[in-house]
Amino acid sequence: MAPSPSAFSTDVDTGSREENATKQELGAASRFEEKRRRSRTKQRQIGILLFDGVEELDVVGPFEVFGWAASQRKDLFAIATVAEQGDPIRCSKGLRLIPDHTLESCPSLDIILVPGGAGTRAAAQNPTLLDFVADRARQCEYVVSVCTGLRVLLAAGLAVGKRVTTYHGAVDEIRKTGLAAAVLDDVRYVRDGNLITSAGVSAGIDMALWLVGEITGDPPFARQVQRGIEYFPAPPYAADV
């Protein structure tokens, strides 16, 4: 007996719904991939906060990584240093840096990086700096600290309740505040959402290399950057540490 017209109709309707669902899924996947592609090709504006007593390598290490990456892919990063005023900043070991921008002239940021150093104790009690960091962080794709720059992020409320790391000598201090969900040690960097915190000084280089790979979706490129800056740590006297 031949199937009734309604059976054909039902089969056709079911097929159409399945086809439409498949098309919608493919369309959503395509839009997601396009969004991700655009995200990975978008130039990111990085702002590195400066203040008196900032640790030199906390600034210069990530700057070198991002700068090298940008030299290979012209539209990848734009990097600027930012300070409360335009005067030269005296770093922890005496290096002087001239900021590119004041807080008022700072452009819109995609990534804000707060380095560490002895000067973070004062910076974490500076309401002008804290307001700036908290305000800009709301618009940022990533909020980053190196070393004891975590003090500033905690004081600004940006790392409260998060898993973090910091300079090994500050781990107990941060744990005693009870502000972070967990303070990890013996790790180079920790990601919790869009918050990325690194351990001390040279660990900022590791964090920056990871971020290059994460943003570009291209770990081999991050390894090229690593090779470009010849960052292959093999310190002498390791057995004595």
Side-chain angles (χ1 to χ4, degrees):
M1 177 178 173
S4 67
S6 61
F8 282 115
S9 176
T10 301
D11 289 344
V12 171
D13 289 344
T14 301
S16 296
R17 285 196 297 270
E18 291 174 349
E19 289 174 5
N20 289 337
T22 301
K23 289 179 181 178
Q24 289 173 359
E25 290 172 1
L26 291 173
S30 177
R31 288 192 297 273
F32 175 78
E33 289 299 326
E34 177 63 15
K35 182 178 180 181
R36 185 165 63 174
R37 185 192 67 78
R38 289 180 180 177
S39 175
R40 287 175 173 169
T41 57
K42 166 191 170 185
Q43 185 181 63
R44 266 72 171 188
Q45 176 67 61
I46 302 173
I48 302 177
L49 190 67
L50 298 182
F51 43 83
D52 285 330
V54 70
E55 181 64 35
E56 283 88 341
L57 195 57
D58 289 8
V59 175
V60 177
F63 190 102
E64 177 70 15
V65 171
F66 296 136
W68 189 278
S71 74
Q72 303 304 301
R73 296 187 181 180
K74 301 302 182 182
D75 295 328
L76 187 55
F77 297 121
I79 313 160
T81 53
V82 186
E84 186 172 3
Q85 306 294 333
D87 301 327
I89 295 294
R90 184 178 180 85
C91 299
S92 181
K93 309 301 188 297
L95 179 69
R96 291 181 180 271
L97 298 174
I98 300 174
D100 297 311
H101 295 283
T102 65
L103 303 186
E104 292 184 356
S105 70
C106 180
S108 178
L109 300 178
D110 299 293
I111 300 169
I112 186 167
L113 186 151
V114 181
T120 55
R121 295 188 184 277
Q125 298 180 26
N126 182 329
T128 302
L129 281 184
L130 295 180
D131 287 347
F132 171 81
V133 172
D135 178 65
R136 291 309 182 95
R138 283 194 289 269
Q139 308 164 21
C140 283
E141 184 178 358
Y142 293 101
V143 177
V144 180
S145 70
V146 179
C147 196
T148 52
L150 177 60
R151 289 179 180 138
V152 177
L153 295 188
L154 284 169
L158 299 170
V160 174
K162 301 286 190 177
R163 295 171 70 255
V164 298
T165 192
T166 187
Y167 179 62
H168 69 88
V171 167
D172 288 342
E173 169 201 331
I174 301 299
R175 283 175 176 165
K176 287 176 182 177
T177 68
L179 294 175
V183 184
L184 284 68
D185 54 8
D186 293 327
V187 294
R188 296 296 275 175
Y189 55 86
V190 174
R191 176 182 183 178
D192 189 332
N194 76 330
L195 175 73
I196 306 170
T197 56
S198 84
V201 199
S202 66
I205 298 174
D206 296 48
M207 176 274 299
L209 284 168
W210 176 83
L211 197 52
V212 168
E214 177 71 7
I215 286 174
T216 60
D218 188 356
F221 174 66
R223 287 193 286 271
Q224 290 176 24
V225 173
Q226 179 184 358
R227 181 173 177 79
I229 64 174
E230 295 205 24
Y231 181 62
F232 302 104
Y237 316 120
D240 295 332
V241 174

